[in-house]
């Protein structure tokens, strides 16, 4: 079993919809939880990170962590075609990062 | 401009021919790492370095070597490449390995390696 599980999708939504992405994990030692966005043929870029259970907002993005359920989510409000990308969750403990497989999202104009 | 550069961007080689992928950052970051990305598997960490002369294995280090002689450079070495090392490789750097704050973590553009 992988330490981090993420549904690869693909996910297709109309412009303006809420995009909901999630990951589950098995290692309770994970200390930090991140979301990355990766456009085609580019390296990942860090979107958000958090280290505690609860919600964190940044503009149209909300990251949610539930440590008791070992479950993290990313919500994108008012989605735009420019949000079309692959979204990867990642978790860190000590000096190591573990990534999910990524979910490909397409926002239709 | 803050950036992580990798070279080459694309490489086709044959089994057993030693190769090096270079990675350089201009942000004076202490922490650097290498990942490979494969369909359905996401990014997997190969090696990381906490500072000059300090490196350690990630999740998939077999068949790879690294060195960190200078803070800005972190080359990935494949002594005897094999077809199962065909992949997309990313180098990354950050000020801290955990709790990357805002945009203090950067990934390079990637190196697509094919081993025949």
């Amino acid at each position: 079993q992988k330490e981090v599980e993420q549904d690869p999708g693909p996910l297709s939504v109309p412009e303006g919809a809420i995009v909901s992405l999630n990951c589950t994990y098995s290692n309770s030692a994970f200390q930090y939880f991140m979301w990355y966005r990766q456009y085609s043929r580019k390296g990942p870029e860090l979107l958000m990170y958090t280290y505690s259970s609860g919600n964190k907002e940044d503009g149209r993005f909300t990251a949610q962590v539930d440590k008791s359920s070992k479950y993290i989510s990313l919500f994108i409000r008012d989605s735009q075609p420019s949000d079309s990308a692959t979204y990867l969750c990642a978790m860190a403990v000590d000096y190591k990062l573990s990534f999910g497989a990524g979910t490909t999202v397409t926002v239709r104009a | 401009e803050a950036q992580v550069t990798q070279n080459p961007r694309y490489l086709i080689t044959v089994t057993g021919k030693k190769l090096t992928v270079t990675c350089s950052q201009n942000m004076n970051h202490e922490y650097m790492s290498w990942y490979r990305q494969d369909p359905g598997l996401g990014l997997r960490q190969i090696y990381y370095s906490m500072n000059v002369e300090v490196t350690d294995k990630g999740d998939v280090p077999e068949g790879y070597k690294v060195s960190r002689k200078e803070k800005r450079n972190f080359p990935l070495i494949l002594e005897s490449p094999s077809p199962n090392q065909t992949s997309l490789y990313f180098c990354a750097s950050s000020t801290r390995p955990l709790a990357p704050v805002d945009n203090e973590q950067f990934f390079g553009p990637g190196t697509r390696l094919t081993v025949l």
Side-chain angles (χ1 to χ4, degrees), chain A residues 5-81:
Chain A
E5 298 280 357
Q6 182 176 9
D7 185 340
L11 190 60
S12 179
V13 300
E15 185 175 356
I18 295 175
V19 176
S20 174
L21 304 165
N22 55 73
C23 291
T24 58
Y25 63 95
S26 56
N27 187 351
S28 56
F30 284 134
Q31 298 165 292
Y32 295 93
F33 306 87
M34 285 78 73
W35 285 95
Y36 294 81
R37 177 175 62 197
Q38 185 175 23
Y39 290 116
S40 181
R41 302 181 189 278
K42 299 286 187 184
E45 56 178 322
L46 180 66
L47 272 179
M48 297 185 72
Y49 86 96
T50 184
Y51 56 88
S52 59
S53 285
N55 292 357
K56 182 175 182 179
E57 280 194 25
D58 184 2
R60 296 184 296 113
F61 298 89
T62 299
Q64 204 171 70
V65 174
D66 183 345
K67 285 189 176 180
S68 62
S69 301
K70 296 191 181 68
Y71 187 92
I72 71 170
S73 300
L74 178 71
F75 300 97
I76 308 173
R77 290 183 299 279
D78 188 26
S79 57
Q80 305 295 310

Side-chain angles (χ1 to χ4, degrees), chain A residues 75-92:
Chain A
F75 300 97
I76 308 173
R77 290 183 299 279
D78 188 26
S79 57
Q80 305 295 310
S82 59
D83 294 325
S84 298
T86 297
Y87 291 81
L88 303 108
C89 63
M91 301 165 196

Side-chain angles (χ1 to χ4, degrees), chain A residues 2-3 31-32 34 36 38 41-46 49 51 88 92-102, chain B residues 9-10 31 35 37 40-43 45 48 50 57-59 88 90 97-103 105 107-109:
Chain A
K2 290 185 197 175
E3 280 192 310
Q31 298 165 292
Y32 295 93
M34 285 78 73
Y36 294 81
Q38 185 175 23
R41 302 181 189 278
K42 299 286 187 184
E45 56 178 322
L46 180 66
Y49 86 96
Y51 56 88
L88 303 108
V93 60
D94 295 330
Y95 292 96
K96 296 187 178 181
L97 279 178
S98 297
F99 283 82
Chain B
R9 294 289 313 281
Y10 302 90
Y31 183 81
Y35 301 86
Q37 187 173 31
L41 297 177
L43 281 152
Q45 194 173 43
Y48 59 91
M50 292 79 82
K57 297 176 182 178
D59 293 324
L88 180 58
F90 288 101
L98 297 183
V101 178
D102 295 327
N103 292 318
Q105 182 184 55
F107 278 79

